[in-house]
Amino acid sequence: MSSALSRALRPTVIAAVAGLVVMLVIPFYAEPFLLQAGLFAMAAAIGAIGLNLLTGSTGQLSMGHAFFLAVGAYGYVYFAGDSGHELSGLGLPTPLAAVLAVVLAGLAGGLFSPIAGRLRGTYLGIASLALIFIGQHILHNAHAITGGANGRDVPPLELAGFSFADTPELVVFQVPLRALEKLWFLALLLLLAAAWVARGILRGRPGRAMGTIRDHEIAAGVMGVPVARYRAGVFVLSSMYAGLAGVLLAMAFRRTVPDYFGIILSLEYLAMIVIGGLGSVAGAVAGAAFVSLLPPLFTRYGDGLPLIAAPGAEGVSPAEASRILYGAAVVAVVLFFPGGLLGVWGRVRASLAARRTSHPLTRMEPEEQPT
Amino acid sequence: MKSTLRMTAVTAVALALAAGAAGCASDKATGGSGGAGADGVKQGPGVTDKTIKLGVATDLTGVYAPLGKSLTQSQQLYFEQTNAAGGVCGRKIETVVRDHGYDPQKAVSIYSELSTSVLAIPQFLGSPMVTAVKQRIESDKMFTIPSAWSTTLLGSEPIQVTGTTYDVDMINGIEWLLSKKLIKKGDKLGHVYFEGDYGGSALRGAKFAADKHGLTIVEQKIKATDNDMGPQVAALSKAKVAAILMSAGPRQSASLAGIARSQGMKQPILGSNSAFSPQLLATPAKPALVEGFFFTSAGAPISADLPEVKKLADAYAKKYPGQPMDSAVVSGYGNGAIVVSALKKACEAKDLTREGLIKAHRSDANADTGLGTPMNFTYFDKPATRKTYVLQPKDKIPGGAVIVQEATESELATTYQPPVGSY
């Protein structure tokens, strides 16, 4: 019993409880701006976890992540949306539409898997680049499904009579919960589930196989890992993660716009996993938070910082400053912290632990002194 | 099994703590806002006894940065002048300027911030950005003036599209070409346009006019990233068009005019209002633009012979010396005036809430800022005016353009029914 109690009071467990408490309390206090930014960050974290499985753990570079995000987002809108005079939609129940959108993203990944299974590393990166351009063309021209360059409204999720929209407001502890607050809880739940699944995969047999494929493909083959099948499988899985992130993004946006799902978005996801730390779930989450929170926070609170001019005045604007900082962060991580943000944390922890445990024995205790 | 138990315990403890913390006083708890000021005026978000906060969501770092800068500066000039004259309702106007860099996601974040902190948005640049938050603008009843003129933004009570829409401009423009005998019935017209609602709106207007006059439109759809108009010029030359319509960006106009003239094509080119910017006159495309190139605009150019515009030009040159004076200066200033006039009316009704502001604004059937065409704000499913100026680029003139035809409403434009909420 006492060992169970001491285990329950371990620092990591306490930190997990504290983190969860903070995340659960935020919607009751934070202004909509912070909630919106946090929602984008959580959606991005799910997508980044998926990309990290593919790129960080299996060593397969993908530039097509934005395409699968788009499939998820537009898939949800198409399945859940109603047919209008110029738009078509299936009008399915929204939870079913969300699940189908994720499956659709997985199918799209599956269609690409003959290529994903055969190509290695950077070659896959170049091949998947094509997906972005195909995606942009479809999004702009398949008017009936995507709404063209203008995009489409996203129907709010409705789960067993509970609507994730502004109205009706749900009042809890005298705080009115509108769409952003409700979506916050949903995103948190999905993020935890996504992280848990990814962690399970990485820590089990498939994770080890993926690591071997990344580090030594021939060795993996010799040890009986079906390399091509694994590569294709991970690609499908990562597409499904992207699809889920896309569904969440669509709900947070409330409007899907094709321009958003461009090459820049793919590069941002790569930046997330590089900055956060390749090959781990926590790294992907940390990187996603860094990359997606930095620009809005700078725009919002840039006025108070030195050297930054108010928007419209001469000088470095907040938007430019956030871009400069973002670029500097990528360069700094690549140069000095190959393990990303997570690597930094690991180093700090290791050095702390070393200081705590090592007592270099410089001389003998008095009773041990030879007489 | 053990780990599941622990997980459950962790979650339960976290939930209990969270519930406890959430129960504490929060600013968001209901019952705080919606009061009246010391002077008995009902106050909405962003309004206090001393200030009225207005939001500006613009582009200062993206593709429309020059436009956004002019709009923002001229608007700030207007609010400064208003404050110097005592403000509105005994309150000073404060602007919250945010830069979205023409990125819809940033615009959504910015709108989330503005939705709770400001009363109205006198400038929201870019129709993709505004459509991205259109639903929320409607549910928040946030009075918004978009700096975009596509028909997709019509049909929403809180959103005021100022001036004409692109399609109406094109109809008036084609009528003008016909009246000047630059084209005649049965001719072919080339139309180079951006995909999306800007080009789509303009094309719709062009097709409507072409239909009525027995003209044929030769369509050339381009992307915003296409900068070389060589293939389009070649195609239009082959089709033997009598004139070229241009609904794209300034860069595309320069390329199109330059290439067409160098190949000896002498057809007139007629652009939408976003197809020209005075900065083009500093480029090698200048000779091609000052001859046979025209563009339409609902707003008066800064060179217009109107007392209010002259006053603005002087004040702007004094406040921002050396800055280019494009048509956005007039448009930004005018939009500032529209919001301030609505605020004054709302103040008279002692209702500075969002609903009160929209009600005040929508009661104005003949709003004349002295900066161009008077507008009717009582409906929102039609453009506020159907009068279009035809302008021509000219060197060494403020704003780089002169009026060729004063604001005119063609008969065809009055019969035209613009699409609402689409293009």
Side-chain angles (χ1 to χ4, degrees), chain A residues 260-274:
Chain A
Y260 175 68
F261 300 97
I263 182 107
I264 303 282
L265 190 69
S266 279
L267 292 176
E268 267 182 11
Y269 275 86
L270 283 176
M272 283 174 201
I273 59 172
V274 170

Side-chain angles (χ1 to χ4, degrees), chain B residues 58-259:
Chain B
T58 188
D59 177 9
L60 298 166
T61 45
V63 279
Y64 286 104
L67 179 75
K69 197 171 173 191
S70 299
L71 281 168
T72 308
Q73 286 179 343
S74 64
Q75 221 151 46
Q76 276 171 338
L77 176 70
Y78 187 85
F79 295 136
E80 271 169 37
Q81 290 173 347
T82 309
N83 286 342
V88 179
C89 219
R91 293 160 169 86
K92 299 271 180 220
I93 291 176
E94 243 178 63
T95 49
V96 181
V97 182
R98 294 287 177 256
D99 169 21
H100 58 54
Y102 219 70
D103 174 343
Q105 184 187 350
K106 282 197 196 129
V108 171
S109 293
I110 287 167
Y111 180 78
S112 296
E113 183 203 341
L114 297 179
S115 68
T116 49
S117 64
V118 303
L119 181 68
I121 303 181
Q123 185 204 145
F124 205 139
L125 193 142
S127 67
M129 322 300 134
V130 183
T131 28
V133 295
K134 194 175 168 194
Q135 266 188 338
R136 295 169 68 185
I137 289 177
E138 280 166 16
S139 73
D140 291 338
K141 300 194 170 54
M142 173 80 90
F143 180 44
T144 303
I145 301 186
S147 287
W149 297 270
S150 99
T151 47
T152 42
L153 301 173
L154 293 176
S156 201
E157 193 178 12
I159 299 178
Q160 178 61 57
V161 180
T162 56
T164 52
T165 43
Y166 296 117
D167 43 358
V168 174
D169 276 353
M170 261 308 151
I171 296 170
N172 284 330
I174 290 174
E175 289 279 301
W176 175 80
L177 285 173
L178 280 163
S179 72
K180 291 280 163 211
K181 308 264 189 292
L182 290 167
I183 53 172
K184 56 182 191 311
K185 267 184 205 293
D187 274 349
K188 278 186 184 170
L189 299 183
H191 196 168
V192 181
Y193 64 98
F194 273 162
E195 63 181 8
D197 52 1
Y198 161 32
S201 272
L203 180 69
R204 196 188 167 95
K207 276 184 172 163
F208 177 80
D211 215 36
K212 300 285 171 197
H213 290 296
L215 303 161
T216 325
I217 300 283
V218 182
E219 289 178 38
Q220 288 289 324
K221 180 155 116 177
I222 58 167
K223 283 194 175 66
T225 43
D226 297 342
N227 289 326
D228 174 23
M229 293 295 109
Q232 282 71 29
V233 173
L236 295 178
S237 166
K238 209 172 152 202
K240 296 202 171 50
V241 296
I244 303 173
L245 309 173
M246 185 73 195
S247 303
R251 203 178 288 176
Q252 286 77 15
S253 301
S255 169
L256 182 95
I259 295 172

Side-chain angles (χ1 to χ4, degrees), chain B residues 39-43 89 345-353:
Chain B
D39 50 358
V41 174
K42 276 201 274 176
Q43 301 182 143
C89 219
K345 276 197 173 173
C347 178
E348 278 165 27
K350 292 208 174 295
D351 190 359
L352 277 179
T353 59

